């Protein structure tokens, strides 16, 4: 529930510093990092902002292999309490969900820059998870 907690913290820290509708959009974008699906906003600008925000959050997937591998190790440390077999199954499901999408990234800019490397990194990570 770290996404919901982060959104609540943003709402608390930004309350009174921006208009409520903007704060609602900020909160929705933070919560959307749980699924990486763009929230249904009314305006094209908010949708574009959310797309960029989510793509930035996922950009590590398309990083150089050594940086991606370090990220994967950090995620495993974050979930150290999860039993190994459960970890492999859960992490594999998450990574497979990204590969199943027509595009990992929402914007053309991020697709061009990161998509091929992201797919390679994810495939390599899935192989490592399968092989133990």
């Amino acid at each position: 529930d770290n996404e919901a907690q982060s959104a609540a913290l943003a709402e608390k820290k930004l309350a009174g510093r921006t208009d409520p509708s903007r704060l609602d959009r900020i909160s929705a974008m933070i919560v959307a990092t749980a699924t990486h699906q763009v929230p249904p906003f009314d305006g094209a600008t908010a949708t574009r902002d959310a797309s960029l925000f989510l793509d930035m959050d996922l950009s590590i997937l398309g990083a150089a292999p050594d940086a991606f591998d370090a990220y994967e190790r950090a995620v495993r440390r974050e979930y150290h309490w999860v039993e190994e077999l459960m970890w492999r199954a859960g992490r594999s499901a998450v990574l497979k969900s990204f590969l199943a999408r027509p595009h990992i990234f929402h914007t053309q800019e991020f697709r061009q820059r990161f998509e091929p490397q992201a797919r390679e990194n994810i495939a390599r990570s899935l192989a490592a998870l399968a092989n133990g």
Side-chain angles (χ1 to χ4, degrees), residues 2-84:
N2 64 331
E3 295 88 357
Q5 289 181 32
S6 294
L9 179 62
E11 290 171 5
K12 179 181 175 183
K13 296 289 185 179
L14 295 173
R17 296 178 185 212
T18 189
D19 65 87
S21 63
R22 186 175 200 190
L23 187 51
D24 287 345
R25 287 191 308 272
I26 291 167
S27 181
M29 287 192 292
I30 294 169
V31 170
T33 62
T35 62
H36 290 95
Q37 299 296 323
V38 177
F41 291 121
D42 290 336
T45 299
T47 299
R48 172 77 174 154
D49 288 349
S51 297
L52 287 168
F53 182 77
L54 294 174
D55 282 357
M56 286 185 283
D57 189 54
L58 290 178
S59 65
I60 188 64
L61 299 179
D66 58 335
F68 174 81
D69 293 345
Y71 164 77
E72 285 289 276
R73 288 190 299 274
V75 172
R76 180 60 180 121
R77 281 192 304 274
E78 181 180 356
Y79 290 91
H80 68 276
W81 50 271
V82 177
E83 176 187 325
E84 187 64 23

